[in-house]
Amino acid sequence: MKSIIIYESVHHNNTEKIAKAIAHEIGGELINVRNMNTDDLNKYDLVGFGSGIYYNKIHKNIKKFVEKIENADKQKSFLFTTSGRGKKDFTEKFKELLNSKGFDAVSTFSCKGFDTFGPLKIIGGINKGRPNEKDIKNARNFAKYLIQ
Ligand SMILES: Cc1cc2nc3c(=O)[nH]c(=O)nc-3n(C[C@H](O)[C@H](O)[C@H](O)COP(=O)(O)O)c2cc1C
């Protein structure tokens, strides 16, 4: 199975850490969304998207990329996010968008990420050290489940 992870990670590379762990586990390629072309998507059987959460949304580069896709080939797809809150509720809307583009968006993974946005900087940020070893382990388990 040929797979790729397309990600954006602009704050502290939190999402990139998770992306690397998943890509390693599934033996997939890893690419920043800015270097990916939508025409190349049909080479892959499994397509993952990863993003930090900014103002309650996935990064605009990921959203724009997915919006540009004309018609995915019912490929299996998954998505993961890191955020200050670490909640999954940011992922549902994006899952709907993937499905509307012809993907089979199956599963999601989310965890907390180090966050020094705005006033949080004054207190040295929140979620220091996240994603941590446990988060990486959970991401690897998620990846194992994906390729089962
Ligand atoms: C401009 C900005 C806006 C953010 N907005 C949110 C938010 O709405 N909710 C949240 O839980 N975290 C928010 N965060 C925290 C990030 O989602 C978190 O640090 C994430 O792990 C960043 O991922 P990255 O290092 O891969 O960019 C925000 C961070 C930044 C810089």
Side-chain angles (χ1 to χ4, degrees):
M1 184 158 59
K2 204 166 151 61
S3 49
I4 188 163
I5 292 177
I6 301 159
Y7 74 96
E8 187 57 289
S9 182
V10 296
H11 191 35
H12 288 292
N13 295 328
N14 298 329
T15 312
E16 187 178 59
K17 286 176 193 143
I18 298 293
K20 281 182 176 166
I22 297 177
H24 185 259
E25 201 65 44
I26 64 178
E29 292 172 35
L30 181 63
I31 190 165
N32 186 285
V33 68
R34 284 168 273 183
N35 303 322
M36 182 69 186
N37 191 321
T38 50
D39 295 339
D40 293 332
L41 276 173
N42 58 9
K43 294 182 195 159
Y44 302 92
D45 312 298
L46 178 64
V47 183
F49 293 93
S51 176
I53 294 295
Y54 317 94
Y55 306 107
N56 285 326
K57 291 182 181 139
I58 56 162
H59 197 278
K60 60 178 187 318
N61 292 352
I62 295 277
K63 188 162 182 265
K64 277 187 196 156
F65 179 87
V66 174
E67 281 171 347
K68 259 196 316 206
I69 298 168
E70 304 247 302
N71 215 348
D73 200 15
K74 282 281 166 212
Q75 287 124 306
K76 229 167 112 180
S77 172
F78 63 94
L79 60 132
F80 56 93
T81 60
T82 69
S83 64
R85 285 179 55 221
K87 299 284 177 204
K88 266 199 174 184
D89 47 0
F90 304 118
T91 55
E92 278 315 303
K93 253 194 185 161
F94 188 58
K95 199 171 160 180
E96 279 169 32
L97 176 64
L98 286 175
N99 286 330
S100 77
K101 290 291 180 177
F103 283 105
D104 180 14
V106 281
S107 31
T108 60
F109 174 84
S110 300
C111 74
K112 286 187 177 173
F114 182 42
D115 182 4
T116 55
F117 174 53
L120 292 175
K121 203 172 179 177
I122 301 163
I123 57 161
I126 56 168
N127 308 331
K128 272 184 207 159
R130 306 287 296 269
N132 57 19
E133 267 180 40
K134 197 172 171 215
D135 297 316
I136 298 290
K137 196 173 162 206
N138 289 340
R140 288 208 186 106
N141 287 338
F142 170 72
K144 279 184 192 142
Y145 156 80
L146 286 171
I147 51 173
Q148 249 173 26

